[in-house]
Amino acid sequence: AKHMALYVLFETALGYGLFEVAEAEEIGQQIESVQASILDLAKFGKICKLKSFIPFRSAEDALENINQVSEGIVHETLKNFLETNLPKGKGKGAKFQLGVADAKIGQALKEALSVEVTATGVVPELLRGIRLHFAKMLKSIKEEGVEKAQLGLGHSYSRAKVKFNVHRADNMIIQAISLLDQLDKDINTFAMRTREWYGYHFPELVKIVNDNHLYAKLARMIGRRTTLNEESVPALEEIVQDSAKATQIVEAARSSMGMDISDIDLLNIQHFAARVDSLVEYRASLFSYLVEKMHNVAPNLAALVGDQVGARLISHAGSLTSLAKYPASTIQILGAEKALFRALKTRGNTPKYGLLYNSTFIGRAGPKFKGRISRYVANKCSIASRIDCFSEAQTDKFGAIMRDQVEERLKFYETGEAPRKNVDVMKAVLDSITVETPKRKANDDGPSSEKKKKKKSKESDKDGSSPMEADTETPKKKEKSGEEESAKKKKKDKKNKD
């Protein structure tokens, strides 16, 4: 058996290190012996020796290299370092293996250098030992220097990741919807407290005005009920927007069964009612902020299921990118995880919908069709979230047209009227977008779209038809139709001869 030498690449905050492993064949079968020798530098030094080390030129250079390593890209510095220090044999003829910590960078190195790469077996154990003894193996530096370099690079790497976080726009939506839900609970609790507190003085008001916000406004405006008279009607009418209710409140105040309360108690009630009122107003402004954010970040999802349901889906998934990666089946039951796992445990029926139930469509469908429409809406949400996440040009036309498709599907369940085909609908939207932005479309056409065009042109050349015809009719069908025509002609010729 031919001997395979093993080299291990070790990335540090200071630079790249390449280690040569002695007796790779023997230690390959005995990971336990490697684990035992890791803690002892004298033993480990015999197994693993530093072949070469290249330091980074600066902190910026270190950050640039480590960013590329984390993304699975081979930096020019790393490529040159390995080409210089690894043996010359390449491909299948190479008599060595390169051990790496991450399979992703390993694959990139395999493609860039044509060497055999491994990230399994004894390699992780060797890297553990190298990490432990690195400062002693590289005699030119001290352990404190390694720690300082790691800390500095760690800070700059994390800062760059946070700065260029692709989810940063989603984060605002997630925080806004969470705060909105919290505010709804708090406003409800505080309004109930206001009703109970002010109800001691004017219990009849609750029966006349049910709305929490209006009740808080009225409690603040009325104060002591004995001050109400005919002159108070216009002020009350301005709040309740109903003259009959305003008169009713004045009449109820005259014959109220409520107890008298002191000025200090009344002042506290009015302060609390004012706080509830301000919270309701803040909730309205927060909702308008959420709507604006949704229209900027996920316009199609907002147009399809509404701003709040869309925001809840993003919040539950963790980010728009995560939501876009989910299959439609997952989106369908997002928010009903508890019911799903309970159903799987008891072998009962799994839930048909989760957060999507809050969209208007499922409530409008008949009992038989709730599951079907929720599946359809989830499919559309999946498409909408992917368009929002990955398309460069922001538009809500796809969401609006998909909403119409859901409406058509609901009508189809009720009346049996066939909805439009998805292909036709999407083609119409794409045509309308290209008509509106022909210049942008021309600029955005990258290499991928050129490849597609080439493919289509090749297909059309084969079939002798335009790309549009190639889409609608397959080559096989055309061949069949051609054969049928030739057969018909032969029959006609026979008849004419007869």
Side-chain angles (χ1 to χ4, degrees):
K2 65 174 182 178
H3 179 71
M4 281 286 270
L6 178 66
Y7 293 87
V8 178
L9 173 68
F10 183 59
E11 309 99 355
T12 70
L14 293 164
Y16 295 116
L18 187 68
F19 290 80
E20 191 172 359
V21 182
E23 304 163 358
E25 288 290 307
E26 287 78 358
I27 64 165
Q29 283 94 35
Q30 299 165 346
I31 293 175
E32 292 83 3
S33 64
V34 177
Q35 286 173 340
S37 64
I38 276 172
L39 297 172
D40 186 1
L41 179 59
K43 284 182 185 175
F44 188 72
K46 288 175 185 174
I47 294 173
C48 199
K49 289 173 184 171
L50 179 67
K51 180 173 169 61
S52 183
F53 178 77
I54 182 169
F56 295 129
R57 293 189 297 277
S58 62
E60 290 78 16
D61 185 39
L63 180 61
E64 189 189 333
N65 272 273
I66 227 73
N67 272 328
Q68 294 214 351
V69 166
S70 68
E71 286 165 22
I73 302 164
V74 180
H75 193 273
E76 202 59 38
T77 310
L78 176 59
K79 191 180 176 186
N80 293 338
F81 170 66
L82 290 174
E83 279 177 345
T84 309
N85 293 291
L86 284 173
K88 297 300 174 201
K90 283 188 178 182
K92 289 181 181 177
K95 293 181 179 179
F96 67 90
Q97 272 188 323
L98 178 65
V100 291
D102 182 29
K104 198 177 176 186
I105 190 73
Q107 187 61 34
L109 284 166
K110 190 176 181 180
E111 287 167 14
L113 302 170
S114 305
V115 295
E116 200 175 323
V117 180
T118 179
T120 54
V122 79
V123 173
E125 296 300 331
L126 289 168
L127 282 165
R128 201 156 66 89
I130 293 167
R131 200 173 293 113
L132 185 66
H133 303 298
F134 180 69
K136 287 167 188 166
M137 289 171 119
L138 192 71
K139 295 175 177 106
S140 57
I141 54 155
K142 293 179 181 176
E143 276 193 47
E144 294 82 32
V146 176
E147 283 174 14
K148 278 183 182 176
Q150 283 173 345
L151 189 66
L153 182 61
H155 278 206
S156 55
Y157 180 76
S158 304
R159 201 177 295 119
K161 279 285 176 201
V162 171
K163 204 174 185 180
F164 302 113
N165 183 6
V166 290
H167 309 316
R168 62 185 181 278
D170 321 8
N171 290 345
M172 301 304 143
I173 288 172
I174 292 165
Q175 294 301 329
I177 194 70
S178 302
L179 181 55
L180 205 64
D181 290 342
Q182 190 63 50
L183 274 175
D184 284 337
K185 287 177 189 171
D186 292 348
I187 288 167
N188 198 28
T189 310
F190 294 160
M192 292 305 291
R193 178 70 50 232
T194 312
R195 284 178 174 211
E196 202 174 318
W197 203 355
Y198 191 64
Y200 291 135
H201 179 59
F202 191 0
E204 290 80 7
L205 186 61
V206 177
K207 290 171 186 173
I208 301 164
V209 179
N210 288 320
D211 186 75
N212 290 339
H213 187 206
L214 289 182
Y215 189 92
K217 275 189 169 181
L218 286 168
R220 188 181 171 191
M221 179 252 156
I222 295 166
R224 198 171 291 284
R225 68 167 192 273
T226 50
T227 59
L228 284 179
N229 53 36
E230 297 301 329
E231 291 170 10
S232 310
V233 172
L236 290 168
E237 197 179 325
E238 199 178 317
I239 295 170
V240 294
Q241 300 291 316
D242 188 346
S243 56
K245 269 189 181 178
T247 315
Q248 203 178 342
I249 290 165
V250 173
E251 285 171 5
R254 284 185 190 138
S255 57
S256 177
M257 297 285 288
M259 60 184 265
D260 287 330
I261 53 175
S262 66
D263 290 340
I264 189 73
D265 293 337
L266 191 61
L267 190 68
N268 273 299
I269 292 168
Q270 285 178 310
H271 273 313
F272 189 58
R275 186 55 55 90
V276 174
D277 187 23
S278 67
L279 273 175
V280 172
E281 284 170 7
Y282 171 63
R283 189 212 176 276
S285 71
L286 183 69
F287 182 70
S288 61
Y289 163 76
L290 177 68
V291 169
E292 189 187 329
K293 271 283 167 198
M294 279 298 289
H295 281 264
N296 291 339
V297 176
N300 292 298
L301 192 62
L304 176 60
V305 288
D307 301 294
Q308 274 189 288
V309 178
R312 281 202 179 91
L313 286 170
I314 292 170
S315 176
H316 205 86
S319 71
L320 182 60
T321 311
S322 300
L323 184 67
K325 288 175 184 175
Y326 282 164
S329 55
T330 305
I331 293 174
Q332 187 183 342
I333 54 163
L334 215 58
E337 288 84 0
K338 206 174 177 183
L340 173 70
F341 292 118
R342 187 174 61 238
L344 292 172
K345 199 175 179 183
T346 57
R347 295 187 182 180
N349 293 332
T350 52
K352 293 186 180 79
Y353 32 71
L355 290 167
L356 287 180
Y357 187 75
N358 297 319
S359 68
T360 54
F361 307 118
I362 294 163
R364 282 160 49 203
K368 283 183 182 177
F369 306 118
K370 282 189 191 296
R372 288 172 74 182
I373 201 70
S374 77
R375 191 165 64 242
Y376 190 77
V377 172
N379 282 329
K380 295 297 169 195
C381 282
S382 179
I383 296 166
S385 61
R386 285 165 196 179
I387 292 168
D388 288 329
C389 186
F390 302 114
S391 75
E392 288 171 17
Q394 289 284 21
T395 175
D396 64 348
K397 289 198 170 188
F398 289 101
I401 205 81
M402 283 193 266
R403 190 180 182 87
D404 294 341
Q405 279 186 289
V406 179
E407 295 286 355
E408 283 175 19
R409 185 56 59 128
L410 278 169
K411 200 184 284 183
F412 166 66
Y413 291 147
E414 287 169 18
T415 62
E417 187 185 326
R420 289 175 293 171
K421 284 190 175 180
N422 195 46
V423 178
D424 302 333
V425 172
M426 289 300 156
K427 190 177 178 300
V429 180
L430 286 166
D431 289 345
S432 69
I433 290 168
T434 48
V435 166
E436 279 180 22
T437 55
K439 287 180 185 175
R440 193 192 296 168
K441 183 73 181 167
N443 294 338
D444 287 352
D445 275 355
S448 60
S449 58
E450 282 174 15
K451 281 179 187 174
K452 283 179 186 175
K453 281 180 186 174
K454 280 180 185 175
K455 264 191 181 179
K456 280 191 177 179
S457 63
K458 279 180 185 176
E459 284 171 9
S460 60
D461 290 345
K462 281 179 188 175
D463 304 335
S465 61
S466 67
M468 281 305 298
E469 288 172 344
D471 286 348
T472 51
E473 223 173 300
T474 56
K476 283 182 182 177
K477 281 185 182 177
K478 284 184 180 169
E479 283 167 17
K480 279 185 182 178
S481 61
E483 285 168 13
E484 283 169 10
E485 280 175 16
S486 60
K488 281 178 184 177
K489 278 182 183 177
K490 281 178 184 176
K491 278 181 183 178
K492 278 184 183 177
D493 292 341
K494 277 184 181 179
K495 279 181 182 179
N496 291 338
K497 282 178 184 177
D498 293 335

